[in-house]
Amino acid sequence: MKTTFGEYIRLLRTKKELTLTQLAAKLNLDSANLSKIENGIRDFDEKRLPKLAKIFGLNLKELRNEYITDQLGKKIYETNCTKQLLKVAEEKAEYRRNLNKNLQTEKAV
Amino acid sequence: MKTTFGEYIRLLRTKKELTLTQLAAKLNLDSANLSKIENGIRDFDEKRLPKLAKIFGLNLKELRNEYITDQLGKKIYETNCTKQLLKVAEEKAEYRRNLNKNLQTEKAV
DNA sequence: TTAGATTTGTCAAAAAATGACAAGTCTTAT
DNA sequence: ATAAGACTTGTCATTTTTTGACAAATCTAA
């Protein structure tokens, strides 16, 4: 998937020939806001992922992966983060994972 | 730098032998909150980066890079994003950059 | 113990995200 | 041309999240 999450939703929606109003109703949200989501003006709320998965018969885990990569991609884009810096960010994530691991073993003692 | 941004601040602060109260004053914030920042309970507010750079005689751009890699690293950590998914996220960032580029040229027409 | 440094808890204020609705544009069928 | 439906845009109240501020606790060294 090399689109934004909003474009992805639009793709799913049009393939099923649903209108904004119809899909919005299924998702419990306003069609105007869904329009903004598809157009990248607003974010899709993570708590609706299970509903979205169900509506389109998608695997929730995979959908969530689409979602988090979109979120991260957006942040990478917004911060103008180069590949080089992204590597540093990944190392810092790794560092946090280790911090957490150490906390766990500490607790065990 | 393979520490969190909070730890980094603490490092800078102790190297200069400043107390939380002293540095907090220079940064225009509460020492209790600075403590939380150093301990990773709260985030450092981006708008204070220029002040922070000045206080410690750091290059603002480099400091900002430390900051955004920390922010991204935190998000990568929190979302349990694997390296593989991170690659996807980077591709999506690239996609957004192209979207934006096309918008610019469209405007020109 | 006491003083200073740091941490933790809490709450109000500020900021950001979301929901809701009205009014607009755009397209298509008649 | 216009009427209907689909979509977009603007705005504002509500909700949620983040931040600032202060009190009280703990910790540490003299």
Side-chain angles (χ1 to χ4, degrees):
Chain A
M1 192 62 45
K2 56 166 176 226
T3 67
T4 65
F5 199 73
E7 289 170 340
Y8 179 47
I9 293 177
R10 173 151 293 177
L11 212 73
L12 291 168
R13 176 172 68 80
T14 53
K15 199 154 60 179
K16 259 209 163 181
E17 301 196 21
L18 293 171
T19 67
L20 279 171
T21 310
Q22 289 171 329
L23 178 55
K26 286 178 197 286
L27 285 168
N28 250 24
L29 70 85
D30 189 292
S31 66
N33 291 332
L34 180 54
S35 166
K36 288 171 194 162
I37 289 169
E38 293 188 351
N39 289 303
I41 295 162
R42 282 194 186 196
D43 276 351
F44 186 79
D45 191 344
E46 183 167 8
K47 72 178 180 227
R48 288 201 178 82
L49 284 178
K51 245 179 197 164
L52 189 64
K54 203 164 182 185
I55 293 167
F56 292 106
L58 302 169
N59 177 281
L60 180 54
K61 263 197 177 150
E62 283 173 28
L63 185 63
R64 178 161 279 122
N65 284 344
E66 285 303 327
Y67 184 77
I68 67 171
T69 51
D70 178 72
Q71 291 288 106
L72 271 166
K74 185 177 162 197
K75 192 144 186 167
I76 292 165
Y77 167 71
E78 284 170 348
T79 57
N80 265 298
C81 187
T82 63
K83 280 187 184 155
Q84 188 191 352
L85 282 180
L86 191 55
K87 203 174 162 65
V88 176
E90 156 61 25
E91 285 165 9
K92 290 187 179 180
E94 176 71 18
Y95 175 72
R96 280 177 191 263
R97 283 190 281 269
N98 287 331
L99 269 189
N100 192 257
K101 196 167 27 166
N102 291 342
L103 269 182
Q104 304 298 4
T105 54
E106 249 177 66
K107 268 193 196 167
V109 176
Chain B
M1 192 62 45
K2 56 169 179 223
T3 66
T4 65
F5 199 74
E7 290 170 339
Y8 179 48
I9 293 177
R10 171 151 294 176
L11 212 71
L12 291 168
R13 176 173 68 78
T14 52
K15 199 154 59 177
K16 258 209 166 180
E17 302 196 22
L18 294 171
T19 66
L20 279 171
T21 310
Q22 290 171 328
L23 178 56
K26 286 177 197 290
L27 286 169
N28 250 23
L29 70 84
D30 190 294
S31 65
N33 290 331
L34 180 55
S35 166
K36 286 170 194 163
I37 289 169
E38 292 189 352
N39 289 302
I41 295 162
R42 283 195 187 196
D43 276 350
F44 186 80
D45 191 343
E46 184 167 9
K47 73 176 179 229
R48 287 201 179 83
L49 284 178
K51 243 177 200 167
L52 188 63
K54 202 163 183 185
I55 293 168
F56 293 107
L58 303 168
N59 177 280
L60 181 54
K61 264 198 177 152
E62 285 175 25
L63 186 62
R64 178 161 279 122
N65 284 345
E66 286 302 328
Y67 183 76
I68 68 171
T69 51
D70 179 72
Q71 291 289 106
L72 271 165
K74 185 177 162 196
K75 192 143 184 168
I76 293 166
Y77 168 71
E78 285 170 348
T79 57
N80 265 300
C81 185
T82 63
K83 280 185 184 157
Q84 188 191 351
L85 283 180
L86 192 56
K87 202 174 163 65
V88 176
E90 156 62 24
E91 285 165 10
K92 290 188 178 180
E94 176 71 18
Y95 175 72
R96 279 177 190 263
R97 283 189 283 268
N98 287 332
L99 269 190
N100 192 257
K101 198 170 19 170
N102 292 343
L103 269 183
Q104 304 297 4
T105 56
E106 247 178 67
K107 269 192 195 166
V109 177

